[in-house]
Amino acid sequence: MILLTLLLQSQLSLPIPVENGPTVVVTADSLAATKKALAECLAYHCPPKEDIARSLAYAEMQFLSGDYQASYRTLLSSRGRNGRYDAVLPKEVADLHRATSRLARLNGVPINPRVDAADAVYALRAGLPANDPAILAQRLEVGDELAREGRAEGAFQHYDWVAREADKVGDFNLVGQAYLRAAVLQSALGSLYPEYRTRARDMAERILKRSEPEMLPYRNAARAIQIQLADEKDRAAVADRVIAEMEPGQNGRQMLVFSPSIRQEELHFGSAPGQAKANFIDFSYRITPDGHVVDIAPENISDKLPAQWVEVISQKLALRRYTPRNDHDPRKGQRLERFSIVSPLAAYKGSRVRSRASSWELNTFDLTADTTS
């Protein structure tokens, strides 16, 4: 399911391997059908596993249709009914916590994303062996949430722990994910703190020294660290050079290696600080075999989204670079991505009531991330 496999990307974007596949279409019928299916399930007190599956399906349709608050409520309700079954349904309950974490962030709810991501770890540990890859992968998401909260050293501790444990069981894909997350976060921090630039280069070298076949996409992504470390005006040119130097043999899965930042001041046109409802826009585009982005088109725009935002995001998408792929099938590389913007809830001195901040938080979602080419 899409909702379960979306990887949250902030401005500290992680280069994530994704499949090239068809786009997603949401209709009123699919939304109504999943709502009816869940209502029927609850009416006859269906088993927890079925309740979770139908809740996730309905919440997914709500999310895709843009009703983030209703989607969050659906997930919270299901978690209240089914959270206690983690010992017998560890993966299903963890999926529920994970989805709740992501919708909390979409709705600008502070703290909850990290707590919910950690709850998913506890659910998996309740019913799976201690070294199960699912537990290690979920620990990576906890690290991601710590990074988004500005707790970088806590994130590094999670990434390091996962890399060591994954190495012990020979899961080199997870080793690569953990190392790469650390390297990307260090390179992002390097723009403010020079010591992190050195750490980013050291981590990239550690990845490059790994010879396992599973590490190939991560070695190529590690080469892209120098893009983040370059001056902003030079990054597009450096990206083209780095991509040309990447190892051959990576087929089907193209990895984002360069994405220009979208700054707050670029999205000030027509904004309404403190707005509770998230705005979003979906873009379709195609990734060419050499890693460029073409055929960019807005597909779905929420109400009252300023036209200037569409222009800014289109320009940023055109500057992205992905790892190349070996085949030249023009039908591959088609993608659909959502850009979602919300004013997060914040606490202010002298008040116990949280209110919406005047700043924006941007999250991007690859809606084709769980499809196959």
Side-chain angles (χ1 to χ4, degrees), residues 152-198:
E153 292 304 322
F156 292 138
Q157 289 176 9
H158 276 266
Y159 299 152
D160 182 62
W161 183 88
V162 170
R164 285 187 281 109
E165 294 301 312
D167 226 351
K168 291 178 184 178
V169 298
D171 193 326
F172 302 118
N173 180 54
L174 277 174
V175 172
Q177 289 188 43
Y179 280 168
L180 188 58
R181 279 168 156 83
V184 170
L185 181 55
Q186 287 160 350
S187 65
L189 290 171
S191 62
L192 299 174
Y193 309 103
E195 62 270 23
Y196 282 105
R197 298 173 69 88
T198 301

Side-chain angles (χ1 to χ4, degrees), residues 3-158:
L3 189 62
L4 306 184
T5 55
L6 294 177
L7 276 169
L8 272 170
Q9 295 175 325
S10 67
Q11 287 305 291
L12 302 181
S13 298
L14 298 174
I16 301 295
V18 292
E19 298 285 355
N20 298 295
T23 57
V24 179
V25 177
V26 181
T27 66
D29 288 342
S30 61
L31 180 62
T34 53
K35 179 180 181 179
K36 181 181 178 182
L38 176 59
E40 290 174 347
C41 175
L42 297 178
Y44 67 76
H45 304 289
C46 60
K49 186 174 183 178
E50 186 177 352
D51 183 347
I52 293 172
R54 295 194 184 193
S55 296
L56 288 169
Y58 180 40
E60 179 181 307
M61 290 300 104
Q62 291 173 306
F63 157 71
L64 290 172
S65 66
D67 196 346
Y68 295 170
Q69 293 177 348
S71 179
Y72 187 42
R73 289 194 298 269
T74 296
L75 293 169
L76 287 174
S77 295
S78 183
R79 192 173 67 168
R81 295 190 300 271
N82 301 297
R84 63 185 182 276
Y85 298 111
D86 53 4
V88 291
L89 298 171
K91 291 187 177 181
E92 289 82 357
V93 174
D95 287 343
L96 191 54
H97 286 309
R98 187 180 305 115
T100 305
S101 169
R102 293 169 183 178
L103 264 297
R105 178 160 295 282
L106 261 181
N107 282 284
V109 180
I111 304 300
N112 288 27
R114 171 176 51 82
V115 173
D116 294 336
D119 284 342
V121 174
Y122 301 142
L124 292 167
R125 288 171 58 182
L128 297 177
N131 62 349
D132 191 282
I135 297 176
L136 303 183
Q138 185 58 35
R139 283 286 294 267
L140 289 178
E141 292 207 18
V142 177
D144 295 345
E145 293 302 338
L146 287 168
R148 292 186 178 101
E149 290 181 4
R151 299 169 61 182
E153 292 304 322
F156 292 138
Q157 289 176 9
H158 276 266

Side-chain angles (χ1 to χ4, degrees), residues 281-285 296-300 309-311 313-314 317 335-339:
I281 179 170
D282 298 340
F283 276 95
S284 65
Y285 57 90
I296 301 168
E299 296 287 337
N300 187 21
W309 290 17
V310 179
E311 181 180 352
I313 296 172
S314 296
L317 275 172
R335 300 277 288 282
L336 183 69
E337 183 168 353
R338 173 165 295 183
F339 292 77

